[in-house]
Amino acid sequence: MGITKTEHFSENQNTIAKLLKALGHPARIAIIEYLLKVETCICGDIVNELPLAQPTISQHLKELKNAGLIKGTIEGNTICYCIDGNAIQYLKNYLEDIYKILQSQKKNCC
Amino acid sequence: MGITKTEHFSENQNTIAKLLKALGHPARIAIIEYLLKVETCICGDIVNELPLAQPTISQHLKELKNAGLIKGTIEGNTICYCIDGNAIQYLKNYLEDIYKILQSQKKNCC
DNA sequence: AATGATAATCGTAATATTGCAATATCATAT
DNA sequence: ATATGATATTGCAATATTACGATTATCATT
């Protein structure tokens, strides 16, 4: 029915899925990579960097922000966006955990 | 227009986004976690573990498989599913790289 | 106050996703 | 041969996502 049954899954599973989903679009990956590159947070020029219209980018930024992957603070008449390290760390740890468990298992098939 | 403009982004960005998108659903996270738990690859009982109908789970499995996150091999009249460690490692490395770069930057805002 | 620059929001069209009932497929047991 | 059990596919309804033009809001600078 087009609606995800979040209530049937654990809070952790929903949190992880939400973060990963927010990153699951090339434009949003590109935004993250750009934010990482420029280092400084004055980021009004994302629009010039990406091949998408300004409203589209604004929408992608909103989604990244909703998911908690970036933070934005008003800075005069521009907005200062930057990556939230905690969210990245959370995902990194999750994947490291999965990887570690996989490594510890003796492969007996596939 | 509802269609992602993949052609405007790098191959790497599209690959990462595709993997993350495939993981960006609680049911698929639950499937991965279950596959991790059972260790052995005979995994026909995912349907009994998750609160979703059999066709829905079959569809989620297909998406994980298309993204390259799991492998499935026919084993008589059951199917043996297991996680593809390479895909997990790829994502893990990507997030570790981002995290490392973040750590190396001196925070001056946000 | 008027102007300009920047970014968010609204509205809408096109497409994708989620979920399931019904059905199909296919290996194996009877 | 036929029934059974396991998984895949089809078809469809409900909802979500993607993208952008038009507009609006906000604020710094005239």
Side-chain angles (χ1 to χ4, degrees):
Chain A
M1 292 154 185
I3 188 166
T4 296
K5 295 187 153 184
T6 47
E7 73 276 11
H8 292 319
F9 301 99
S10 77
E11 198 179 323
N12 216 40
Q13 287 169 337
N14 282 311
T15 303
I16 287 288
K18 190 180 165 191
L19 285 170
L20 293 171
K21 185 180 181 183
L23 281 181
H25 190 289
R28 296 195 287 269
I29 289 291
I31 288 172
I32 291 288
E33 291 183 354
Y34 183 70
L35 287 179
L36 209 61
K37 197 183 77 181
V38 295
E39 193 157 349
T40 161
C41 289
I42 295 96
C43 309
D45 40 7
I46 301 177
V47 175
N48 302 320
E49 285 287 317
L50 298 192
L52 294 170
Q54 180 267 323
T56 307
I57 288 172
S58 189
Q59 197 175 285
H60 282 308
L61 286 168
K62 193 178 173 184
E63 268 171 76
L64 287 169
K65 203 175 170 184
N66 281 344
L69 281 156
I70 63 174
K71 290 178 287 189
T73 47
I74 294 164
E75 190 118 334
N77 76 354
T78 50
I79 299 243
C80 160
Y81 278 119
C82 60
I83 298 173
D84 186 329
N86 292 329
I88 298 293
Q89 186 174 18
Y90 189 74
L91 286 178
K92 174 184 81 77
N93 289 345
Y94 184 77
L95 283 164
E96 282 175 348
D97 288 350
I98 289 186
Y99 186 71
K100 250 176 265 170
I101 295 172
L102 275 180
Q103 290 298 94
S104 75
Q105 295 176 358
K106 49 255 164 255
K107 304 230 147 200
N108 45 5
C109 64
C110 298
Chain B
M1 293 154 184
I3 186 166
T4 296
K5 296 187 152 184
T6 47
E7 72 277 12
H8 293 319
F9 301 99
S10 77
E11 197 179 324
N12 215 40
Q13 287 169 336
N14 282 312
T15 304
I16 287 287
K18 189 180 165 190
L19 286 170
L20 292 171
K21 185 180 181 182
L23 281 180
H25 191 289
R28 294 194 289 267
I29 289 292
I31 288 173
I32 291 288
E33 290 183 354
Y34 182 69
L35 286 178
L36 208 62
K37 194 183 79 180
V38 293
E39 192 158 352
T40 161
C41 289
I42 294 97
C43 310
D45 39 6
I46 301 176
V47 174
N48 300 322
E49 284 290 316
L50 298 192
L52 294 170
Q54 179 266 324
T56 308
I57 287 173
S58 188
Q59 194 176 289
H60 283 307
L61 286 168
K62 193 178 174 185
E63 268 170 77
L64 287 169
K65 203 174 171 185
N66 282 343
L69 281 156
I70 64 174
K71 290 178 287 189
T73 47
I74 294 164
E75 191 120 332
N77 75 353
T78 51
I79 299 246
C80 160
Y81 278 117
C82 60
I83 298 174
D84 186 329
N86 292 328
I88 297 294
Q89 186 173 17
Y90 189 75
L91 285 178
K92 175 184 80 77
N93 289 345
Y94 184 77
L95 283 164
E96 282 176 348
D97 288 349
I98 289 186
Y99 186 70
K100 251 177 262 170
I101 295 174
L102 274 179
Q103 289 297 94
S104 74
Q105 296 176 356
K106 51 255 162 252
K107 305 231 147 197
N108 47 3
C109 64
C110 299

